[in-house]
Amino acid sequence: MTDANRADPVACSFLAQTQPLPIPLKCNLITPELNVRPDGGGRLMLQALDLDQHADPARPVSPDGLIGKEMLRRLRRLFRNTEGARIERIETGQRSRPSDGLPALGYISESSRVYLMVSHSGMTLAPLLGRLVAEEMLSGTGSPMLSAFAPHRLLRPLSAVAKTAPAYLPSAQ
């Protein structure tokens, strides 16, 4: 899993909230430069994935700094009536997810007792994932759509764990 407490664009992302604006956005807008979604009270939530290489939870950024100015420049290119737009705050969003950035979905062992579902896109994919996982669990047959996301790809062999286990843990041998 990623460590969301360290600078890592897979685990951390700048999220900027604007002051209220006269933009009646009612859905998420995904563009190559800027992701925008309504955030209530006329505010917009902004995210620019290419700027996330600078996101670090230990180093907050100012709404008036370079990151904020760049997000506003991009917002102005997307919408009219944003000349006076201001950012109220910028937070560093933190997400824990598999280090390869892909979802992990499936049973964690052959005994089929514990099913793991980890996905950054859980809200977007929830209807599809819910159906596929329910079918997989009820039928006992793995879904071809989920096979590439099986959690076993993330697990190290037990022998590797024993070699790297801290001294206070019992040996896995």
Side-chain angles (χ1 to χ4, degrees), residues 54-71:
H54 306 289
D56 182 346
R59 294 182 12 214
V61 298
S62 165
D64 298 322
L66 294 174
I67 298 295
K69 288 178 182 177
E70 179 60 20
M71 287 184 169

Side-chain angles (χ1 to χ4, degrees), residues 107 133-141:
Y107 287 104
V133 168
E135 288 172 2
E136 194 169 274
M137 294 175 92
L138 292 173
S139 72
T141 305

Side-chain angles (χ1 to χ4, degrees), residues 134-156:
E135 288 172 2
E136 194 169 274
M137 294 175 92
L138 292 173
S139 72
T141 305
S143 168
M145 290 183 73
L146 299 179
S147 63
F149 307 108
H152 69 270
R153 76 179 196 281
L154 305 170
L155 301 175
R156 292 184 290 174

